[in-house]
Each structure stands twice: as structure tokens, then as C-alpha cells.
Amino acid sequence: MALLKSTLFLFLVTITSSYLAHASDPDITSDFIFPANSNAVDGTFFTYTGMRGIFDTDPTTFKVTKASLAEFPALNGQSTSFAVLQYPAGGLNPPHTHPRSSELLFVVEGSLEVGLVDTTNKFYNQTLQLGDMFIFPKGLVHYQYNANPTDPATAISAFGSANAGAVSVPLSVFSTGIDDDILAKAFKTDVATIQKIKAGIAPPK
Ligand SMILES: *[C@@H]1O[C@H](CO)[C@@H](O)[C@H](O)[C@H]1NC(C)=O
């Protein structure tokens, strides 16, 4: 009986851990997923043109343009998406995480300082040159910064999810209604300091 129980336990641990190891967007049982109320598509369904023109002007603040499930419905069930990241001189993509995917960032203009923090709070950073790639592992806090005082930078990021999601550290902590007293305790500071930080952070869109 004890042997049976431990065998069963081992079996459950094995299937659970192999399930977790493969956790990603769910597999679909068709080639692709038709849009709602439709069972006929043509080539335009598989095409995304929303990035046209985005390289024509240099944004004056950090800008993300996504091609994910919301913008490009044909990605439904395909476990992939893109984002184009544009940084003016001095532009910062503040610390954030993607709960459902790792991110493979590819620098296609200028250079970027990037950093990530793992679950043991170890910090890793690097300065990337044009043509370099960097992988941000799934769910870890990370950022990118264009330290160049005069030139813009651009990166293209690939994700292993159609809907990687983004959780901004400053926005999620300081602009969502968490009580000032809670934050003052958490950051071991006073309410006035918390309110000063909150005042500088725009509410989430
Ligand atoms: C990493 O960050 C440290 C500051 O914590 C900085 O001094 C160093 O230059 C950075 N390294 C790279 C390669 O960007």
C-alpha cells in the first residue's frame, strides 16, 4: 500500500512538473482560429500592417507598438507576437515583467543598456550594440535604457505568447490605489515620500 501510494505520488509529481515545464499558450486543435462569426478568411487575415510608417518619425518619449493578439487576431493560438520599442535619446522603458512569456530583444538602431533581476534578486546587466540580442526570461523584472544623449535607439522584441502581458513596476505599485500607509510601511519610508512618488506617476491607461 505504501509502495502504491509513493508510486502514485511520484507519477503525479512527474506529470505536474512536465506540464509546468511546457506551460505556454494552449495548443490549438486546428491549423488556426477563425475570427468570431466567420469561417472563411483570405491572406489578409494572416497579414498585419499596423507597423507601417512607425519608423518614419522618431518619437519624443519611449514608445511601444505591439503586434499581439489584441491588434492581430490571427495570432490566436500561435504562441508568438512582436513589439517594436522606440527610445529617444535618454529614453527609458521602466522596470516591468511579462507574466506569460520570455522576451527576445533585438537592437536594430543605436545601443541600449538593459538589466534584469532574477527570483533571488540577483541583478544582471549589459550594454547592447546595434545587431545584439538579449533574452529576458519569463516573468522576471527587466528594463531598457538608451543612455545615448543625442541618438535614438530601436529594438524589436519577440515573445513566445500571443498575449505576453506587461506589468509595470512603478504603475502597479504606485498608481493602482494601494493605500499610502501600506506603501510607506512596505518601502520603510513616510507617507509624504510615497505621495511625492505617486504625484510623478501617470495613472495606468
Ligand atoms: C551595470 O550596472 C552598473 C551599475 O549597477 C554599471 O556601473 C555598469 O556599467 C553596468 N554594466 C553594463 C555592461 O552596462
Side-chain angles (χ1 to χ4, degrees):
M1 194 59 190
L3 181 67
L4 182 65
K5 265 191 183 159
S6 61
T7 309
L8 191 64
F9 178 73
L10 198 66
F11 175 71
L12 285 175
V13 167
T14 309
I15 54 171
T16 309
S17 55
S18 80
Y19 171 76
L20 289 176
H22 295 119
S24 63
D25 288 7
D27 264 339
I28 57 173
T29 51
S30 55
D31 296 344
F32 56 90
I33 296 175
F34 285 98
N37 309 317
S38 161
N39 57 6
V41 294
D42 61 16
T44 59
F45 173 67
F46 301 99
T47 310
Y48 185 65
T49 59
M51 300 284 185
R52 284 186 192 171
I54 67 162
F55 300 110
D56 295 352
T57 49
D58 288 329
T60 54
T61 56
F62 169 70
K63 187 178 175 197
V64 186
T65 312
K66 292 188 213 168
S68 66
L69 183 59
E71 299 82 20
F72 187 7
L75 297 185
N76 197 4
Q78 305 300 332
S79 306
T80 191
S81 57
F82 262 139
V84 174
L85 311 168
Q86 293 172 289
Y87 315 77
L92 172 70
N93 184 6
H96 63 281
T97 73
H98 302 291
R100 289 179 290 276
S101 177
S102 58
E103 172 176 1
L104 179 59
L105 176 136
F106 182 22
V107 180
V108 296
E109 181 192 24
S111 64
L112 286 175
E113 288 186 9
V114 300
L116 71 92
V117 179
D118 73 11
T119 58
T120 69
N121 287 326
K122 184 167 163 49
F123 172 62
Y124 300 84
N125 65 337
Q126 187 59 276
T127 301
L128 304 176
Q129 302 302 326
L130 179 63
D132 292 351
M133 290 192 193
F134 194 87
I135 181 80
F136 298 106
K138 181 174 174 172
L140 301 186
V141 171
H142 62 280
Y143 66 85
Q144 303 102 30
Y145 175 54
N146 177 13
N148 191 296
T150 53
D151 300 334
T154 306
I156 296 175
S157 281
F159 297 91
S161 167
N163 185 17
V167 177
S168 160
V169 173
L171 291 183
S172 62
V173 175
F174 293 107
S175 74
T176 52
I178 301 177
D179 197 87
D180 291 352
D181 293 318
I182 300 286
L183 292 176
K185 268 194 165 50
F187 287 88
K188 297 182 169 37
T189 185
D190 49 63
V191 165
T193 304
I194 296 298
Q195 287 174 345
K196 196 172 168 191
I197 296 171
K198 281 187 170 179
I201 292 172
K205 279 176 250 161

